[in-house]
Amino acid sequence: MLEGPQGTLYGASSEAGTIRIITNKPDPTKFAAGFDLDGNKIQHGGLGYAAEGFVNFPVTDFAAVRLVGWIEHTGGFIDNVAGTNASACIVNGVRTFPTWDGQPHLGPGTPCPAPGVIGAGAIDNSRYLRNNYNTVDTRGGRAAGRINIGDNWTVTPSIIAQSTSTEGFFGYDPVVGDLQVTHFGPENSQDSWQQSALTVEGKLSNWDLVYAGGYMKRTSHGIADYSDYSLFYDRVVGYGSYWVGNDGNPIMPQQLVVNGGYFEKWSNELRITSPADLPVKGTAGVFIQRQLHNIWQQYTMPGYGFINPYGNNPTNNYGVNPNGLATSLSVPGLDNTIWLTDEQRVDRDKAVFAQLTWDITSQWSVTGGFRYYKFDNSLQGFYGFSATVYGGGSGVAQCFGPPVTHLAPCQDLNKDVSDTGWVPKANVDPTRSPPITWSTRRTPRGSGPAA
């Protein structure tokens, strides 16, 4: 662990310091293997287990391979129950929506109606009742090779991959009960990623040279119940009167949030370091990186008795919801979808860095360095409603071009920011006193995703 600031050598994200995690490397000198097994139970929750193992085997006297694998199940501790929260219009697992139940909007203080008829003003959560329902399942593996080329050079390729799936919700409603919620829809997530890396280490004379390159990609998907917010919008603003079906009548206004993402990143760094036993020593290098992030947030209103929580769209075959949000109110091309975020962000970074340390005496050292950087970040795509919802204040009504992302109806977002700069650093380090450090920090500007 390196104390901060470390922005000179490691970039803008290292102001507070840098933690380097070093995994065990393949060893060509011996065979080794091992495993661990674990079983557990959460107090007032479910059962869990974990298993992991590794094997290291030499291929030759100068090369080896190391394989690692793991699997883990974490038990749940939250119960989805047929509970009561009168202030949220929930009684014994039945939630009643004012507008759908026929109650006129009376302003921000519109009270909860009496429990309504399921399917005609109210819904229940009987389909989703489950104890200890917030489970987590993880599995993954890592493979690494090591090739020693002579006495001074080593090549280490590696790949690591992991997938995680979750069920349920990881908070609770104290009004309903300790470690309990009353939720009314599907709740789960899937997250998988893999990373490939190549490290080359060697010496040029007595100087250390290190190249590190990597490529990572990550895919995520999730869905969650958003009916709390639907109720809030209905009671406070009266939005329930806007949420109608193709027949013009108010629909069951529960919303579901569908999120997804695809992320990829590649990076390359080359650094050279002088011998550590010299009174004046230093490190210098270059760095280049590119990150791409596809961002997806879809808010669906599939209506009562839905069979397709994702809305009716060209990418799924889960069926049609006859009682969902009207096609005329939906984001074009995505029936039952009241809001869509479909964006792509790309970050490009380059840097040159150097740092020099002078050991003046055995008690005092002085360090100086800099990092020169250049970045170019862009964000484009679509976010918002259809042109007919809430007066068309955002979304389709603001589009200025054809779609540039996968399922967007058009483009209403296009931002780009780029800049160059440098980060200096100076440090005086007396052995028996706290070090004195001066540094500036400039965080690269960028555009956050529009929610």
Side-chain angles (χ1 to χ4, degrees):
M1 184 171 68
L2 302 176
E3 296 181 356
Q6 290 293 331
T8 302
L9 294 183
Y10 298 100
S13 299
S14 300
E15 180 182 22
T18 298
I19 299 175
R20 185 183 181 194
I21 300 173
I22 303 175
T23 57
N24 290 324
K25 301 295 189 293
D27 184 356
T29 66
K30 62 181 180 180
F31 173 85
F35 67 92
D36 288 307
L37 301 175
D38 175 73
N40 57 75
K41 181 169 188 317
I42 299 174
Q43 185 177 14
H44 308 299
L47 299 171
Y49 62 83
E52 58 184 4
F54 80 94
V55 59
N56 179 95
F57 54 91
V59 179
T60 69
D61 59 354
F62 58 84
V65 174
R66 184 181 183 91
L67 304 176
V68 181
W70 59 90
I71 183 171
E72 180 178 10
H73 172 78
T74 302
F77 52 89
I78 301 294
D79 298 339
N80 192 11
V81 301
T84 296
N85 183 341
S87 64
C89 304
I90 302 173
V91 178
N92 297 326
V94 175
R95 164 166 271 167
T96 305
F97 297 95
T99 300
W100 189 38
D101 191 51
Q103 176 174 312
H105 180 63
L106 303 176
T110 297
C112 287
V117 177
I118 295 174
I123 58 174
D124 72 343
N125 70 339
S126 58
R127 292 172 58 189
Y128 305 102
L129 297 177
R130 185 178 162 196
N131 292 335
N132 305 323
Y133 86 134
N134 60 321
T135 57
V136 182
D137 287 282
T138 303
R139 61 184 62 204
R142 177 170 60 88
R146 184 179 182 90
I147 304 172
N148 296 327
I149 305 174
D151 296 330
N152 295 324
W153 289 87
T154 300
V155 178
T156 307
S158 65
I159 183 170
I160 182 172
Q162 178 174 287
S163 65
T164 301
S165 62
T166 72
E167 297 285 344
F169 185 73
F170 288 79
Y172 70 96
D173 184 348
V175 177
V176 173
D178 185 35
L179 301 180
Q180 293 181 335
V181 295
T182 300
H183 284 190
F184 298 86
E187 297 171 299
N188 58 71
S189 71
Q190 298 81 41
D191 189 337
S192 61
W193 58 270
Q194 67 179 56
Q195 177 174 294
S196 304
L198 176 66
T199 303
V200 180
E201 303 168 275
K203 284 186 175 293
L204 296 176
S205 184
N206 57 347
W207 289 60
D208 293 323
L209 182 71
V210 178
Y211 163 79
Y215 172 78
M216 176 185 179
K217 68 176 183 179
R218 177 185 180 188
T219 303
S220 61
H221 175 271
I223 188 169
D225 178 23
Y226 204 63
S227 61
D228 286 343
Y229 296 89
S230 298
L231 179 77
F232 174 83
Y233 297 144
D234 190 10
R235 293 181 65 194
V236 175
V237 191
Y239 278 178
S241 60
Y242 289 91
W243 302 327
V244 299
N246 288 325
D247 60 2
N249 295 318
I251 63 169
M252 187 277 286
Q254 177 186 25
Q255 293 185 39
L256 300 172
V257 184
V258 181
N259 64 78
Y262 174 80
F263 176 84
E264 68 175 20
K265 170 182 176 180
W266 67 263
S267 62
N268 292 276
E269 180 177 288
L270 181 68
R271 62 174 62 201
I272 188 167
T273 303
S274 64
D277 57 354
L278 296 178
V280 178
K281 53 218 170 198
T283 297
V286 294
F287 171 80
I288 184 171
Q289 174 178 277
R290 183 181 187 274
Q291 301 177 85
L292 178 146
H293 189 190
N294 293 332
I295 304 161
W296 178 270
Q297 289 279 336
Q298 179 189 13
Y299 290 72
T300 67
M301 301 186 73
Y304 182 72
F306 64 84
I307 58 174
N308 181 359
Y310 305 104
N312 310 325
N313 71 70
T315 66
N316 69 62
N317 298 308
Y318 297 106
V320 176
N321 301 313
N323 302 314
L325 186 69
T327 301
S328 61
L329 299 176
S330 302
V331 173
L334 296 170
D335 277 1
N336 308 150
T337 299
I338 191 167
W339 173 280
L340 177 68
T341 298
D342 187 7
E343 301 169 352
Q344 183 178 88
R345 174 170 176 162
V346 180
D347 296 326
R348 309 164 187 86
D349 299 279
K350 300 177 182 178
V352 177
F353 55 89
Q355 182 168 293
L356 196 67
T357 299
W358 177 25
D359 294 330
I360 303 173
T361 68
S362 60
Q363 303 294 322
W364 287 84
S365 65
V366 177
T367 299
F370 74 92
R371 185 181 187 91
Y372 176 81
Y373 62 84
K374 178 180 180 180
F375 65 85
D376 182 5
N377 303 335
S378 63
L379 180 65
Q380 59 181 346
F382 174 88
Y383 69 99
F385 303 102
S386 73
T388 57
V389 174
Y390 310 139
S394 66
V396 173
Q398 306 300 318
C399 280
F400 50 77
V404 293
T405 48
H406 184 45
L407 288 176
C410 50
Q411 181 181 9
D412 66 349
L413 175 65
N414 187 18
K415 295 183 179 181
D416 186 90
V417 60
S418 60
D419 201 1
T420 60
W422 69 290
V423 178
K425 174 185 176 181
N427 177 273
V428 178
D429 191 359
T431 302
R432 297 184 180 180
S433 302
I436 302 170
T437 300
W438 170 82
S439 179
T440 64
R441 178 178 186 264
R442 187 174 183 183
T443 301
R445 294 178 289 117
S447 300

